[in-house]
Structure formats: C-alpha cells, structure tokens
Amino acid sequence: MPDDWQHALEVAERAALEAGALIMEGFRLSARVSRKGRFDLVTEFDLASERLIRERIEAAFPEHRIVGEEGEATGEGEMVWYIDPIDGTVNFAHGHPYFGISIGLYREAEGLVGVVHAPALGNTWKAAKGAGAFRDGHRCVVSERSTLDEALCTTGFPGNVANTRDTNEAELALFLRHARGVRRCGSAALDLALVGDGTFDVYWERALKPWDICAGALIVSEAGGTLSSYDGSPADPRSGALVATNGVLHESVLKLIREARRKIPG
Ligand code: 2AM
Ligand code: CA
C-alpha cells in the first residue's frame, strides 16, 4: 500500500475515534435536534463531529477536497474525502446504538481509504485499497453463506418515501419471502461494515448520498465482497445506490432485485 494511503487511513481512524468520543457525550442525553424533515434530523453533535473531522483532514491534507453531509464542500482536486459525521442520526437522536461515523477517501470512483466507527457499539472497521479490511484491528472477510435461505440481508428506505413510487417495498417483499431474515437498522455505513465482517450477507439500497456508503463500500470490497449497481454494472458508490454481497450470492440477489423492480408502478 502506498505510504500516502497508510497515512490517510491513520488520520481518518484517529479523527473517527475522536469524533466518536465527542458524539458519545450527547448519546441518550438531551441532544438539541433540528428537523430538516420527517426523517432528516440534525443534532448539534452532527455539526460538531463534522467540524472536528474536517479540521483533522484539512490539517493533514490541505490539498484534498472535502464533501460532508452537514457543510459546504471545500477544496479542489481529484482526491475527495466523503464524511458522514453521524450516519444514523435518527437512531442517535432516539438513543438507539446503531449509528456511526463514516469517512472515505476516493479518487473518482476508486475507493482508497474507508473508516466506519460505531462508538456506542464499540466497533471500528477500516480498509485501504489493496490492504484488506479490519474490524477492531483484526482482519475481516465476508461470509461464505451460499443460499438466500440462509442469508441475513439488510437494506434501507429512501428519505422521501412518502413522495416516491420507488419505495423499496417490492424488493423488501421478495427478500422477506426468500431470505432467512431482512433487517432495516438505519445506518447504511454500518450495514456495509457488517457485510464486510460477514455478519450480513447482502445489502441493497438506493437514494443515498456518497458520504453514507463510500467508506463502507471499500470495506466490503477489501473484505472480498462484491459491489455493483442495481443493474449489475460496476458500482460507483458516489451515485448513492449500491448492491453489496459476499460475492457468492450476488447473481441471485441481482435477479431478485430485477424481479422486484418489474412490479414498481410506473
Ligand atoms: P443519515 O442518518 O446520515 O441521514 C438509512 O437507510 C440510511 O439513509 C442512513 O444511512 C441515513 O443517513 C440515510 N438517509 C436518511 N435520510 C436520507 C436522505 N434524505 N437522503 C439520503 N440519505 C438519507
Ligand atoms: Ca448523517
């Protein structure tokens, strides 16, 4: 691995751990919540976490671009950091421990570094291109489960679910029927990290933002998993749509998604 990526990984991990300690000061206490919409919350801790992570990255890599959920994008150039200061803000605001900090470094569609830190769970996943994926310092790999009826799947629903026909309900109905279980836990970044360590076997979701999935996507691919878009073409996590599996299940998953999407009302 080039030294740059090792250094970038260290900076990202340190920033994620620091931000994790910061947001835990507000977990299950009365964090002030502003509402952007029904599901779109932002707390003072989202803002403080993003400020801290931006400062750490800017200090180490002033020449890189930074795109975060809560602030204006800064910087120019082909190296882009995607930051989600709290992925799973609804969970955080309700005292549910399934939320994390997600930090990814990309060059165009190529993932270079990814860190997902879940402070309330006490887990940190990380990956750098060509260097494998790790959970809490130990190498992790995707699962070997080879049939859908033994697969634990995870997904999420679009933020504008009341105003779109493409709600993910058709996909959910089919996976509920064919898989061992389907979960909807509320953080895309954690969902992907948990595909990377073999907990989940399958993930699909669309209508996300790059900061939700860029870090997790690299963790899945470095853990030996397969990523694609919904139609099977090469994944570009910056598009906000992703199918991620342990690889063995990928074709069956794409087939089920195709079948489900034929039922979406036009
Ligand atoms: P967030 O908590 O950072 O907002 C849950 O399925 C996933 O959807 C989470 O990763 C959540 O990220 C994301 N999410 C929630 N509302 C969203 C919106 N309006 N647009 C895009 N992603 C959203
Ligand atoms: Ca967020």
Side-chain angles (χ1 to χ4, degrees):
M1 175 174 35
D3 285 350
D4 272 4
W5 300 347
Q6 187 56 49
H7 179 48
L9 182 61
E10 283 163 15
V11 169
E13 187 176 12
R14 260 200 313 273
L17 292 173
E18 244 188 287
L22 187 158
I23 65 176
M24 285 308 284
E25 289 173 21
F27 183 52
R28 292 179 175 160
L29 296 174
S30 52
R32 267 201 307 280
V33 175
S34 356
R35 250 167 90 109
K36 291 193 268 189
R38 180 167 151 215
F39 305 111
D40 222 354
L41 309 180
V42 59
T43 72
E44 59 196 296
F45 293 94
D46 294 77
L47 302 174
S49 170
E50 181 156 328
R51 263 197 309 272
L52 185 153
I53 297 165
R54 279 176 178 273
E55 275 170 23
R56 299 297 178 268
I57 291 172
E58 272 162 16
F61 302 103
E63 72 285 13
H64 289 180
R65 182 167 169 77
I66 302 180
V67 178
E69 177 162 17
E70 310 297 349
E72 295 287 310
T74 56
E76 297 299 329
E78 55 166 16
M79 305 290 273
V80 184
W81 291 89
Y82 294 102
I83 299 170
D84 196 333
I86 302 181
D87 189 52
T89 300
V90 172
N91 286 342
F92 176 80
H94 284 251
H96 187 302
Y98 198 86
F99 60 88
I101 290 150
S102 173
I103 305 177
L105 173 63
Y106 271 60
R107 185 169 47 204
E108 303 289 343
E110 183 190 22
L112 304 174
V113 160
V115 174
V116 175
H117 172 51
L121 304 178
N123 293 120
T124 308
W125 295 259
K126 64 180 174 184
K129 185 160 180 74
F134 297 81
R135 181 185 66 198
D136 302 335
H138 301 284
R139 189 82 181 233
C140 63
V141 292
V142 293
S143 75
E144 292 179 353
R145 284 180 281 267
S146 60
T147 61
L148 271 175
D149 63 12
E150 56 181 351
L152 189 59
C153 308
T154 185
T155 187
F157 298 88
N160 63 343
V161 75
N163 305 314
T164 176
R165 278 194 264 266
D166 199 351
T167 59
N168 199 19
E169 286 165 286
E171 292 90 328
L172 177 67
L174 265 191
F175 277 90
L176 281 173
R177 193 166 302 177
H178 289 277
R180 173 170 286 160
V182 183
R183 302 291 179 259
R184 188 279 194 246
C185 301
S187 161
L190 282 190
D191 287 347
L192 286 162
L194 288 163
V195 171
D197 72 14
T199 305
F200 288 129
D201 310 292
V202 172
Y203 167 81
W204 78 94
E205 190 168 354
R206 51 173 289 286
L208 292 164
K209 300 287 190 207
W211 47 76
D212 297 316
I213 54 177
C214 275
L218 181 65
I219 292 168
V220 172
S221 67
E222 284 298 319
T226 298
L227 304 172
S228 75
S229 61
Y230 271 38
D231 66 7
S233 59
D236 183 348
R238 298 171 304 167
S239 72
L242 198 61
V243 179
T245 73
N246 65 359
V248 194
L249 290 167
H250 209 80
E251 280 311 313
S252 342
V253 165
L254 289 179
K255 191 161 161 261
L256 219 52
I257 289 176
R258 257 196 317 274
E259 189 183 330
R261 293 181 70 74
R262 280 199 289 270
K263 300 186 179 130
I264 296 171

Coordinates of all heavy atoms in Angstrom, one line a residue, residues 54 57-58 61-68 72-81:
R54 N -13.4 17.6 9.7 CA -12.9 18.5 8.7 C -11.5 19.1 9.1 O -10.6 19.2 8.3 CB -13.9 19.6 8.4 CG -15.0 19.2 7.5 CD -16.0 20.3 7.3 NE -17.0 20.0 6.4 CZ -17.0 20.1 5.1 NH1 -15.9 20.7 4.5 NH2 -18.0 19.7 4.3
I57 N -8.7 16.5 8.9 CA -8.3 16.2 7.5 C -7.7 17.4 6.8 O -6.7 17.2 6.1 CB -9.6 15.7 6.7 CG1 -10.0 14.3 7.3 CG2 -9.3 15.5 5.2 CD1 -11.2 13.7 6.8
E58 N -8.3 18.5 7.0 CA -7.7 19.7 6.3 C -6.2 19.9 6.8 O -5.4 20.3 6.0 CB -8.5 21.0 6.7 CG -9.6 21.3 5.7 CD -10.7 22.2 6.3 OE1 -10.4 22.9 7.3 OE2 -11.8 22.2 5.7
F61 N -4.2 17.1 5.1 CA -4.2 17.0 3.6 C -4.9 18.3 3.0 O -6.0 18.3 2.5 CB -5.0 15.8 3.1 CG -4.5 14.5 3.6 CD1 -5.0 13.8 4.7 CD2 -3.3 14.0 3.0 CE1 -4.5 12.6 5.2 CE2 -2.8 12.8 3.5 CZ -3.4 12.1 4.6
P62 N -4.2 19.4 3.2 CA -4.8 20.7 2.8 C -5.1 20.7 1.3 O -6.0 21.5 0.8 CB -3.7 21.7 3.1 CG -2.5 21.0 3.3 CD -2.8 19.6 3.7
E63 N -4.5 19.9 0.5 CA -4.7 19.9 -1.0 C -5.9 19.0 -1.4 O -6.3 19.0 -2.6 CB -3.5 19.5 -1.7 CG -3.1 18.0 -1.6 CD -2.5 17.5 -0.3 OE1 -2.6 18.3 0.7 OE2 -1.9 16.4 -0.2
H64 N -6.6 18.4 -0.4 CA -7.7 17.5 -0.8 C -9.1 18.2 -0.7 O -9.2 19.1 0.0 CB -7.7 16.3 0.1 CG -6.6 15.3 -0.1 ND1 -6.5 14.1 0.6 CD2 -5.6 15.3 -1.0 CE1 -5.4 13.5 0.2 NE2 -4.8 14.2 -0.8
R65 N -10.0 17.7 -1.5 CA -11.4 18.2 -1.4 C -12.1 17.4 -0.3 O -11.9 16.3 0.0 CB -12.1 17.9 -2.8 CG -13.5 18.4 -2.9 CD -13.9 18.4 -4.4 NE -15.3 18.6 -4.5 CZ -15.9 19.7 -4.4 NH1 -15.2 20.8 -4.2 NH2 -17.2 19.9 -4.6
I66 N -13.1 18.1 0.4 CA -13.8 17.5 1.5 C -15.3 17.7 1.2 O -15.8 18.9 1.0 CB -13.5 18.1 2.9 CG1 -12.0 17.9 3.1 CG2 -14.3 17.4 3.9 CD1 -11.5 18.4 4.5
V67 N -16.1 16.6 1.2 CA -17.5 16.7 1.0 C -18.2 16.0 2.1 O -18.0 14.8 2.4 CB -17.9 16.0 -0.4 CG1 -19.4 16.0 -0.5 CG2 -17.2 16.6 -1.6
G68 N -18.9 16.8 2.9 CA -19.5 16.3 4.1 C -21.0 16.5 4.1 O -21.5 17.3 3.4
E72 N -20.6 22.9 3.5 CA -20.3 23.2 2.1 C -19.0 22.4 1.8 O -18.1 22.3 2.6 CB -20.0 24.7 1.9 CG -21.1 25.6 2.2 CD -22.1 25.5 1.0 OE1 -21.7 25.6 -0.1 OE2 -23.3 25.4 1.3
A73 N -19.0 21.9 0.6 CA -17.8 21.2 0.1 C -16.7 22.2 0.0 O -16.9 23.4 -0.3 CB -18.0 20.6 -1.3
T74 N -15.5 21.7 0.4 CA -14.3 22.6 0.3 C -13.2 22.0 -0.5 O -13.1 20.7 -0.6 CB -13.7 22.9 1.7 OG1 -13.4 21.7 2.3 CG2 -14.7 23.7 2.6
G75 N -12.3 22.8 -1.0 CA -11.1 22.3 -1.7 C -11.4 21.8 -3.1 O -12.6 21.7 -3.6
E76 N -10.4 21.5 -3.9 CA -10.5 21.1 -5.3 C -9.7 19.9 -5.4 O -9.1 19.4 -4.5 CB -9.9 22.2 -6.2 CG -10.6 23.5 -6.1 CD -12.1 23.4 -6.6 OE1 -12.4 22.5 -7.4 OE2 -12.9 24.2 -6.1
G77 N -9.7 19.3 -6.6 CA -8.7 18.2 -6.9 C -9.4 16.9 -6.9 O -10.6 16.8 -6.6
E78 N -8.7 15.9 -7.3 CA -9.2 14.6 -7.6 C -9.4 13.7 -6.3 O -10.1 12.7 -6.3 CB -8.5 13.8 -8.7 CG -7.0 13.7 -8.3 CD -6.3 12.7 -9.2 OE1 -6.8 12.3 -10.3 OE2 -5.1 12.3 -8.9
M79 N -8.6 14.1 -5.3 CA -8.7 13.3 -4.0 C -9.9 13.9 -3.2 O -9.8 15.0 -2.8 CB -7.4 13.4 -3.3 CG -6.2 12.9 -4.1 SD -6.2 11.1 -4.4 CE -5.4 10.6 -2.9
V80 N -10.9 13.1 -2.9 CA -12.1 13.6 -2.3 C -12.4 12.8 -1.0 O -12.5 11.5 -1.1 CB -13.3 13.6 -3.2 CG1 -14.5 14.2 -2.5 CG2 -13.0 14.3 -4.5
W81 N -12.6 13.5 0.1 CA -13.0 12.8 1.4 C -14.5 13.0 1.5 O -15.0 14.1 1.4 CB -12.3 13.5 2.6 CG -10.9 13.3 2.7 CD1 -9.9 14.1 2.1 CD2 -10.2 12.3 3.4 NE1 -8.7 13.5 2.4 CE2 -8.8 12.4 3.2 CE3 -10.7 11.2 4.2 CZ2 -7.9 11.6 3.8 CZ3 -9.8 10.3 4.8 CH2 -8.4 10.5 4.6

